[in-house]
Amino acid sequence: ILVLLALVNACPFADLMRARGLNVDSKKHAEYHRNNKRSVDEVEQSSIKETFVLTSRLKTSSSPVFGQGFPIGWVVNGREAPKLTLVAGKQYEFIINAACNHPFYLTFDPRGRSRLPIPAKYYDKDPQGDTKLCAGEKVVVTPDKDLIGKKIWYQCLVHDYMGWTVEVVEESICDKYTDALRSTVVNNAGLMSAIVGQTFEALTAKTSPLLEYFTGVVGERPDYTDPENSKELQKLAEGLVSFFSDALGCSDGSIPPYNEVNAAGTTLKEFHVGMPISIFEFNAFNDILLGVLKKNGVVDADLKKIRTVLESPGVKAGVCNFGTECGVADNDVTPPGAELSICDQTVPASEREEQELNGRTITVVKDGASEATLKIVVNDLVERLSKDAELKPFFDGSMSGLKNFLDATKPDGTELINNLVAFFGSPEVLACSNPNFPQNGRAVPVSAMKEIHKDMKITKPLFDKFNGHIAAAATDAGMTTENVQAVGALLASLEEAICNQPGCKGVSDQADAVVINVSVKEKAANHHFAGKGFGSAYQLDGKDVADLVLEVGQQYIFKVPGSCFHPFYLSTGTGAGSPDYIDVTTTPQYCNGNDFVFTPTADLKAKQLWYACRNHNFMGGRACVVDKGQTSCDTAPEPAPPLTQSPCDQMVANVKTAGKAGLSNANETLTAVVIDVFTKGAAAEGAPLKQYFDGTKPAGSRNFVGDSALAGELVFGLVKFFGTALGCTDNSISVYKPDEPQPDMKEIHVGMGINQTEFELFNTVLLGALSDVDGTGKGLPEELKGPIGVFLAATAPDVCSECGEFEAPSLCEKWHNAAFKADSNAFPDQQTMVAAVVTGVFTKLVAGPPGKEYFDGTVPCNSRDFVNGAILQKGLVRSLTAYFGQQSLLGCSQSSFPTYRGVRDMELLHKNMPINKALYTAFITAFAEVVKGALGGTDVADSLDADLAAVANLLTTDAEYSTICNQDDCDEPKGTFEEKQCPTPAPGPGGDTPADTPTAGPGVDTPAPSGTPTESGASLIALTAPFLALALAVVVVV
């Protein structure tokens, strides 16, 4: 495990030395290891790490495979087709609560349907054996390290594209040791706090050789052992905990990402300027840090690897800055500003000044001077580009898809200048040191260069010419020859990221490779596949290409920047799953920047090939392989091999054979079907389902029978819905696009009270109309009636509200649907909505007593200050949002919703917090006010009072939540309160705590929790309990 090594590559050395963190009970750790007599590598590996419960439902637009394959998809733990991350060597239980027309398996093919299954050795039962994984069957999957980096999907053995991706990863250092020390730390934040806290205690002990670095003696640093500087200390501790979380791979969501803390991107060397660190101090710190890690359970093998990196030349050069053993002269300690960056050297001497710092004279740049100097360089560069006939098209808007950046009076022109100033001034390039440099926050990182330039054809001569213009502009601005050469070397290093044509470094092994840019555009009326298949088609270098001529031996690079909704490939058919041009063991996905590199061989000349989309039919064109020098295909195109058509296309083809007027395409055919169903089921006198269409049921609904305009609207919507579900491809129906919201079947049918008999009757009438369209006797072929019947029956959980398997919309689904309709920009997804509720309740609770003291570090003692700690607040909101979205609580179902992996025992989490009835009531009131404020003007306004009353009743009567309240005035059932003892030790020299004095802190003084949340019918409205449970208890678990 090497993740821990990452922490020393970027962490500011002095940041770690200054880290105070939170108090940790060191004796408790030592006792744990003595009693258990085991190392971290001996931790039991056989227990289930996570359980995934799979059900099926109609796909919605939030599914990553919406519009692809079968219209029903997997739901995992209540979320629609989420990405699953599995740790190699751990065991995962999959419970498949779907009908046996959807047997589960894992595959190397993104489509599924029995293709390319992973080996049976990874399961405890073979999914392709006698017992299929469906109807409540369970299977344990144990991925191995050989699956790391491979593309895997969870899918259905029978249908295409029901699931999404599985990523197998190596267990991170953070998760490994959090699990091993579970009796003393309850989550990742507890582990990181323990490391930070113990490191600071060791560094500031009276015997520490590094004490003076933390008491304000060395460098312009505050005395971090002084209680007066507690806020500075807290900020550093928060940043370090967040940094370690990213570096060590913490995954439980209890810590916010580090990039929210270290936005300036301070390097090791920059941080240690002015701090004399010889080889003695350098080694002393490494020994102290490794000692802390060893005490926290890091095994010797990992410690050895960590020490190797700590003492590597790069880290040593960034930290060790005094003495020959560090590679510098004894008097070569660099105070701030003494070594000027290229940016600072380019600033005119009149814009630099000398200042005194700790007895040394340093040089600093005046505010605004760096920006002004770089603007001179950039304006000169833009002027040169505007006069260069070869480069100008990249900047004047004449190239397709690019803006006109050359008019500085327009926003686009201003944007280019500002972005170039920010890029050149960033720490990665010229490193402007002025702390008020206004552009640094918008600097585009070097790592983004490839993405920015991927659609531009940049040859090696153009790349070199552009760099030459930069060098000339820098020279004219007064940059020294040596610095111009240094900048040139830096720019040259970007060749692989920017230069993307034959002859550029890293483009291909063959200098004369042909690069073809692939894009997608709606088909024109004269397109060679107009009226066939998908409504859009590929363009090659911006053109429709019916016959793609490919020469034997010539290398071609197809650059495919678009999304994986349209993965490009070469096939023996016209796409939509037709076979690859050669046999493949894994299905390649050429999309999202993954280029298709292809060199035709002579044996392919006899093959009929197409360039195509793996998901949709007739998006490409013919591809013929010819001898060198030929410019056209040898023969006329042969008919495409027959493909398995969609149910809709087969039905339309059958109906056309009847020759009846008005049934010439999918739109006309499905319109006839829908009108037939509407007439028989609803409009005719005595129709059995009329009450659901004439406004009778539910009360207050619209009357489609008596209003022809409404009836037309209904028919249009149903044709679009069934056209999408049945796979109509002749473009006569405007089917739902991947990013287009579909009607929510649960929301539409939840109040109708449809029973089993009515549900089956509707399906029978619909299936009959599909089988005999408009009395022609033609329709669905016989072999498709069964599968379509299964599909219709599978909609019961969304439609048949009186059927046993019906799943009513959760609060998360119900409230977000309403919020999205009211303001789609404010609430684009469920996560944003829940985070808004969390933030609103937090704001109300911390506005004053009685809630504020539970969040500002006052209660319980030695807790964390979430009121003044911005990073802590973000971590709190992140954790609570994930908690709320669980299936047993709010029931958030979108694929992108974060997964919560924290602790759930409410009474245990609150046992040290004196929560009385007034505080508990204040929380319930705050929650109701926030929800009403957000949703009061939406479609659910009328039901909010009932929803909130049910929530309040649940919180005050269900022991799972009511035990949060633990004082004498709380109603039964109430929780148990244990007052936390937090003695204040007498500080010794340097602020160290006596070794025998017990201390306590978040994540280290609470025993491992037990139990699981209640799985009751009332759980759909159990939103608020988790907030109080975590928001107040976060002082213990975060």
Side-chain angles (χ1 to χ4, degrees):
I1 298 176
L2 298 175
V3 182
L4 186 53
L5 305 181
L7 78 90
V8 296
N9 288 326
C11 175
F13 181 87
D15 261 356
L16 183 58
M17 291 166 52
R18 293 157 65 187
R20 171 61 171 85
L22 300 165
N23 292 328
V24 178
D25 190 345
S26 302
K27 292 176 65 180
K28 196 170 186 180
H29 284 279
E31 181 181 359
Y32 167 78
H33 287 290
R34 283 197 306 272
N35 293 340
N36 287 271
K37 306 289 186 185
R38 63 176 182 170
S39 72
V40 172
D41 286 341
E42 296 170 328
V43 172
E44 180 63 48
Q45 298 292 316
S46 63
S47 59
I48 299 297
K49 182 172 179 65
E50 192 168 358
T51 296
F52 300 112
V53 179
L54 280 76
T55 55
S56 59
R57 66 163 292 176
L58 280 172
K59 293 175 185 172
T60 70
S61 55
S62 69
S63 169
V65 286
F66 172 67
Q68 300 180 53
F70 199 62
I72 289 174
W74 287 121
V75 174
V76 183
N77 291 348
R79 293 190 299 149
E80 192 172 2
K83 175 183 176 181
L84 304 183
T85 301
L86 311 183
V87 175
K90 300 291 185 180
Q91 294 188 333
Y92 296 86
E93 182 180 51
F94 289 81
I95 303 174
I96 297 82
N97 289 336
C100 283
N101 60 318
H102 301 311
F104 167 86
Y105 84 124
L106 298 176
T107 172
F108 293 119
D109 191 297
R111 298 166 293 176
R113 204 170 71 182
S114 299
R115 303 179 183 99
L116 298 176
I118 70 170
K121 68 178 182 179
Y122 298 112
Y123 307 87
D124 69 344
K125 63 179 71 170
D126 187 350
Q128 294 185 298
D130 294 336
T131 302
K132 299 303 182 187
L133 301 180
C134 53
E137 282 292 325
K138 301 178 182 180
V139 64
V140 174
V141 175
T142 308
D144 208 344
K145 288 187 178 181
D146 58 1
L147 292 178
I148 293 175
K150 293 187 177 180
K151 295 181 178 180
I152 304 171
W153 285 262
Y154 59 97
Q155 292 291 4
C156 170
L157 284 169
V158 177
H159 302 104
D160 285 320
Y161 292 108
M162 281 190 62
W164 194 229
T165 59
V166 177
E167 181 183 18
V168 178
V169 299
E170 190 167 15
E171 185 175 34
S172 70
I173 285 281
C174 180
D175 291 342
K176 173 181 178 179
Y177 293 107
T178 299
D179 288 344
L181 301 172
R182 188 63 72 178
S183 71
T184 54
V185 296
V186 297
N187 58 11
N188 294 158
L191 177 69
M192 294 297 101
S193 295
I195 292 173
V196 169
Q198 290 185 33
T199 300
F200 183 81
E201 289 174 358
L203 291 168
T204 58
K206 61 183 178 181
T207 58
S208 170
L210 302 174
L211 177 61
E212 62 186 359
Y213 288 84
F214 302 95
T215 57
V217 175
V218 177
E220 284 199 326
R221 304 289 193 272
D223 180 358
Y224 293 102
T225 65
D226 186 345
E228 292 294 324
N229 295 320
S230 60
K231 287 188 176 180
E232 290 84 352
L233 189 57
Q234 179 185 1
K235 183 178 179 181
L236 286 169
E238 291 174 5
L240 284 169
V241 168
S242 183
F243 172 80
F244 288 154
S245 172
D246 283 3
L248 302 182
C250 299
S251 66
D252 70 3
S254 61
I255 308 172
Y258 181 66
N259 60 13
E260 297 178 3
V261 183
N262 187 32
T266 306
T267 65
L268 285 171
K269 190 167 186 177
E270 289 170 340
F271 191 89
H272 295 95
V273 165
M275 299 175 67
I277 300 172
S278 72
I279 195 67
F280 175 82
E281 287 81 18
F282 179 73
N283 288 338
F285 174 77
N286 290 347
D287 291 340
I288 290 172
L289 173 59
L290 290 167
V292 169
L293 294 173
K294 184 175 181 66
K295 184 169 62 174
N296 280 279
V298 179
V299 297
D300 290 342
D302 288 337
L303 291 173
K304 184 177 180 180
K305 296 171 184 175
I306 295 167
R307 181 178 287 280
T308 298
V309 178
L310 283 171
E311 296 176 352
S312 66
V315 176
K316 186 176 180 181
V319 177
C320 194
N321 58 23
F322 190 95
T324 56
E325 290 178 287
C326 289
V328 294
D330 286 351
N331 60 354
D332 195 23
V333 180
T334 307
E339 283 190 1
L340 296 178
S341 66
I342 293 179
C343 173
D344 295 347
Q345 292 179 51
T346 307
V347 170
S350 60
E351 296 301 313
R352 302 194 295 262
E353 60 186 14
E354 294 183 343
Q355 296 180 1
E356 292 296 320
L357 179 64
N358 293 337
R360 296 176 182 272
T361 300
I362 62 172
T363 303
V364 297
V365 176
K366 296 179 182 178
D367 283 349
S370 300
E371 181 187 8
T373 300
L374 288 186
K375 277 193 173 180
I376 293 173
V377 176
V378 169
N379 283 326
D380 187 358
L381 171 63
V382 172
E383 180 68 20
R384 293 171 188 272
L385 295 174
S386 68
K387 297 176 181 178
D388 189 309
E390 290 185 292
L391 289 172
K392 184 178 179 181
F394 290 90
F395 298 92
D396 66 1
S398 60
M399 281 191 176
S400 176
L402 299 180
K403 301 176 181 179
N404 181 5
F405 293 110
L406 296 183
D407 187 350
T409 65
K410 300 291 178 62
D412 290 342
T414 304
E415 177 187 353
L416 175 67
I417 291 172
N418 289 339
N419 285 346
L420 285 173
V421 169
F423 174 74
F424 289 128
S426 67
E428 295 180 288
V429 188
L430 302 184
C432 297
S433 65
N434 194 314
N436 295 320
F437 188 71
Q439 307 294 329
N440 274 337
R442 60 183 292 163
V444 177
V446 169
S447 59
M449 292 296 104
K450 188 176 184 70
E451 177 68 20
I452 291 172
H453 297 91
K454 67 181 181 181
D455 295 328
M456 306 178 198
K457 286 191 173 183
I458 301 174
T459 63
K460 185 65 162 65
L462 289 177
F463 176 73
D464 292 339
K465 179 180 277 194
F466 180 81
N467 290 349
H469 285 316
I470 295 176
T475 300
D476 287 354
M479 188 178 291
T480 66
T481 301
E482 181 182 7
N483 284 343
V484 170
Q485 292 174 346
V487 172
L490 172 71
L491 295 173
S493 71
L494 300 178
E495 180 177 341
E496 289 189 72
I498 297 175
C499 189
N500 54 28
Q501 297 299 297
C504 296
K505 182 179 179 182
V507 168
S508 70
D509 296 331
Q510 191 169 318
D512 62 346
V514 175
V515 178
I516 300 174
N517 290 291
V518 181
S519 57
V520 176
K521 187 177 181 180
E522 188 174 351
K523 289 176 181 174
N526 61 349
H527 189 274
H528 51 276
F529 282 151
K532 294 183 178 181
F534 197 70
S536 296
Y538 286 130
Q539 289 197 326
L540 306 182
D541 289 333
K543 298 178 181 178
D544 295 328
V545 178
D547 287 341
L548 175 63
V549 179
L550 305 170
E551 295 183 358
V552 171
Q554 172 67 57
Q555 187 179 66
Y556 297 88
I557 301 173
F558 294 86
K559 304 186 76 64
V560 193
S563 75
C564 287
F565 186 61
H566 297 304
F568 182 90
Y569 76 131
L570 199 63
S571 173
T572 57
T574 53
S578 56
D580 287 71
Y581 75 101
I582 57 173
D583 291 335
V584 293
T585 55
T586 60
T587 305
Q589 293 286 95
Y590 299 116
C591 51
N592 198 25
N594 184 21
D595 300 340
F596 174 47
V597 181
F598 173 61
T599 303
T601 54
D603 63 300
L604 294 176
K605 290 195 299 180
K607 274 194 173 184
Q608 180 74 63
L609 303 176
W610 280 264
Y611 68 95
C613 170
R614 197 176 290 281
N615 291 340
H616 305 99
N617 207 357
F618 293 110
M619 281 190 63
R622 187 164 65 133
C624 49
V625 176
V626 300
D627 289 324
K628 200 78 171 176
Q630 279 189 237
T631 58
S632 62
C633 298
D634 288 328
T635 60
E638 300 173 10
L643 294 175
T644 301
Q645 292 181 301
S646 70
C648 176
D649 293 344
Q650 292 186 58
M651 176 181 66
V652 172
N654 285 345
V655 171
K656 284 182 179 179
T657 64
K660 187 172 183 176
L663 296 176
S664 62
N665 57 32
N667 182 47
E668 293 175 349
T669 301
L670 274 183
T671 298
V673 169
V674 170
I675 291 175
D676 188 15
V677 173
F678 180 69
T679 301
K680 292 177 180 177
E685 190 64 34
L689 302 176
K690 185 174 183 179
Q691 60 182 335
Y692 295 105
F693 296 89
D694 66 1
T696 303
K697 195 174 182 180
S701 57
R702 295 188 293 178
N703 182 1
F704 296 102
V705 176
D707 189 322
S708 59
L710 285 179
E713 181 182 322
L714 175 66
V715 169
F716 176 83
L718 288 173
V719 168
K720 182 170 183 173
F721 174 78
F722 286 120
T724 304
L726 296 175
C728 300
T729 64
D730 68 359
N731 299 319
S732 63
I733 298 173
S734 178
V735 297
Y736 285 101
K737 294 180 174 59
D739 56 350
E740 183 180 1
Q742 272 200 64
D744 190 303
M745 294 294 104
K746 285 185 181 181
E747 182 183 12
I748 291 172
H749 296 94
V750 66
M752 293 187 179
I754 297 172
N755 61 39
Q756 186 78 39
T757 300
E758 293 166 331
F759 174 71
E760 292 176 354
L761 174 62
F762 178 84
N763 288 347
T764 299
V765 172
L766 176 59
L767 191 58
L770 290 169
S771 303
D772 180 9
V773 177
D774 204 18
T776 61
K778 303 289 185 179
L780 284 175
E782 193 66 32
E783 65 270 17
L784 283 182
K785 293 179 182 178
I788 295 300
V790 171
F791 161 67
L792 293 174
T795 64
D798 293 330
V799 175
C800 186
S801 56
E802 298 300 317
C803 298
E805 62 264 51
F806 181 74
E807 298 174 2
S810 66
L811 275 186
C812 188
E813 292 172 330
K814 173 183 175 182
W815 289 358
H816 179 254
N817 284 335
F820 184 83
K821 288 179 183 178
D823 190 343
S824 60
N825 292 322
F827 302 106
D829 51 41
Q830 294 170 355
Q831 181 178 354
T832 304
M833 179 194 71
V834 177
V837 172
V838 170
T839 303
V841 175
F842 174 82
T843 302
K844 283 184 173 292
L845 289 176
V846 301
K852 184 178 180 181
E853 62 184 5
Y854 287 82
F855 294 91
D856 65 5
T858 304
V859 178
C861 52
N862 280 356
S863 56
R864 306 174 79 180
D865 185 355
F866 294 93
V867 176
N868 299 302
I871 302 303
L872 288 178
Q873 283 185 29
K874 292 177 181 178
L876 174 65
V877 171
R878 178 186 297 270
S879 293
L880 293 173
T881 299
Y883 192 97
F884 289 169
Q886 295 177 101
Q887 186 177 18
S888 58
L889 301 171
L890 261 185
C892 294
S893 58
Q894 290 181 342
S895 176
S896 59
F897 202 92
T899 300
Y900 178 76
R901 296 186 175 90
V903 183
R904 296 175 173 84
D905 190 321
M906 301 296 101
E907 182 177 11
L908 178 66
L909 292 180
H910 294 87
K911 71 174 184 178
N912 297 134
M913 304 173 207
I915 300 173
N916 58 29
K917 188 172 182 177
L919 177 60
Y920 198 48
T921 302
F923 163 72
I924 296 173
T925 302
F927 169 76
E929 291 173 351
V930 170
V931 173
K932 281 188 173 182
L935 302 175
T938 68
D939 292 348
V940 296
D942 292 342
S943 64
L944 280 180
D945 284 340
D947 288 346
L948 293 171
V951 169
N953 180 67
L954 179 70
L955 292 175
T956 54
T957 60
D958 191 313
E960 180 71 19
Y961 309 109
S962 67
T963 51
I964 295 170
C965 192
N966 55 27
Q967 297 299 291
D968 291 340
D969 64 345
C970 296
D971 296 327
E972 294 290 348
K974 60 186 176 184
T976 301
F977 172 67
E978 296 179 12
E979 187 170 0
K980 188 176 182 181
Q981 301 299 319
C982 298
T984 304
D992 56 302
T993 302
D996 293 334
T997 302
T999 56
V1004 296
D1005 59 342
T1006 303
S1010 61
T1012 56
T1014 297
E1015 298 275 353
S1016 65
S1019 64
L1020 288 172
I1021 56 173
L1023 165 66
T1024 59
F1027 184 90
L1028 194 58
L1030 282 172
L1032 301 182
V1034 74
V1035 293
V1036 174
V1037 300
V1038 176

